[in-house]
């Protein structure tokens, strides 16, 4: 194995830079080359993708309708300086 | 009923607002539909972020409500130097900090950003890899991760979401703040750097550590025989 080959231990520390498109071109090429040979790291990458997608869903609570109505009233009644022309 | 698809979440461009300029114009005109859309889009994320500044839900909800009132007051003077989303979260951060200091019950911002409250643990437990001096495959998996085979419905189930919530709650505050803004709220990296006044490199490291912790928690839950 030569020095430019990526080991799994290194890949797991780069996986989020890979997902965020923040790896330099050579790093990206080494990363993808490793993935081609390593089912364990493919699984790891899939798990990280699923983690990010599932975390995104935490946010989805409904807005309390009572609060929404109060704020909408405040929006409707806001003073004229809040209505400055763009 | 099939589970909802995993989507990247709403953006400022959805629902007919081509860009922030159009949205701001609508808000200034007094377009109530635009304001309702804005609340629907950001309220949940604001509530999550507000929990940094007040421990109980009630305080967090009040801070969010004050934030919306700040939006209503400020929209006429908003200059569009940042995205509308970032502007709203800035208002929240300012209100939250004031509130936190007044009540002395939340962690001040300087402490949130103190590097010693971060940790530099590896993403994966060291003993899951072969040692660096192993004769074959040094630093490669000794115990490779097992596929979760988790359908979307399982990832979205309440109990799974509680696992994620718990893992985030257990993070160092600065990691928790980054993952909340990036992955829960869905803010761009640039905006998070500006809001938290950290470098892009710092932001990436913190996000990486936070996500790695959450992945470990999910792995332990979804493949119970896996080493946590």
């Amino acid at each position: 194995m030569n020095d430019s080959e990526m080991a799994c231990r290194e890949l797991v520390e780069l996986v989020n830079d890979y997902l965020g498109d923040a790896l330099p071109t050579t790093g990206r090429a080494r990363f993808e080359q490793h993935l081609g040979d390593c089912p364990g790291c493919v699984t790891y990458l899939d798990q990280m993708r699923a983690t990010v997608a599932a975390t995104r869903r935490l946010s989805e609570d409904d807005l309390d309708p009572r609060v929404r109505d109060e704020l909408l009233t405040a929006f409707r009644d806001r003073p004229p300086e809040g209505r400055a022309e763009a | 009923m099939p589970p909802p698809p995993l989507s990247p979440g709403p953006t400022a461009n959805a629902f007919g607002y081509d860009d922030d300029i159009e949205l701001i114009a609508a808000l200034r005109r007094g377009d109530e539909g635009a304001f309702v859309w804005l609340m629907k889009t950001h309220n949940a994320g604001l509530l999550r972020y507000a929990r940094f500044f007040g421990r109980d839900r009630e305080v967090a909800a009040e801070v969010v409500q004050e934030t919306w009132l700040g939006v209503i007051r400020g929209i006429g003077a908003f200059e569009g130097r940042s995205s509308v989303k970032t502007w709203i979260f800035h208002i929240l951060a300012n209100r939250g900090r004031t509130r936190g200091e007044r009540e002395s019950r939340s962690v001040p911002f300087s402490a949130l950003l103190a590097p010693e409250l971060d940790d530099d643990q590896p993403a994966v437990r060291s003993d899951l890899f072969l040692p660096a001096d192993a004769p074959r495959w040094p630093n490669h998996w000794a115990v490779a991760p097992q596929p979760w085979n988790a359908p979307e419905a399982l990832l979205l189930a309440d109990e799974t979401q509680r696992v994620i919530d718990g893992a985030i709650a257990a993070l160092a505050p600065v990691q928790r703040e980054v993952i909340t803004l990036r992955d829960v709220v869905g803010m761009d990296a640039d905006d998070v750097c500006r809001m938290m006044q950290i470098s892009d490199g710092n932001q990436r490291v913190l996000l990486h550590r936070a996500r790695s912790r959450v992945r470990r928690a999910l792995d332990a839950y979804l493949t119970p025989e896996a080493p946590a």
Side-chain angles (χ1 to χ4, degrees), chain B residues 133-155:
Chain B
D133 58 1
R136 296 190 64 219
W137 302 111
N139 292 322
H140 287 61
W141 294 108
V143 184
Q146 296 306 303
W148 288 344
N149 295 323
E152 282 179 7
L154 177 56
L155 284 171

Side-chain angles (χ1 to χ4, degrees), chain A residues 78 80-86, chain B residues 20-30 75-80:
Chain A
R78 71 201 192 286
E81 60 268 22
R83 295 172 188 265
E85 290 305 315
Chain B
D20 274 1
I21 294 172
E22 203 177 310
L23 175 63
I24 293 161
L27 291 169
R28 286 182 176 166
R29 274 199 309 275
I75 191 65
F78 176 61
E79 292 176 358

Side-chain angles (χ1 to χ4, degrees), chain A residues 1-19:
Chain A
M1 169 169 30
N2 69 50
D3 283 347
S4 76
E5 275 182 41
M6 189 175 284
C8 311
R9 196 193 293 269
E10 185 185 358
L11 184 139
V12 300
E13 300 297 345
L14 296 174
V15 69
N16 285 295
D17 281 352
Y18 178 76
L19 290 176

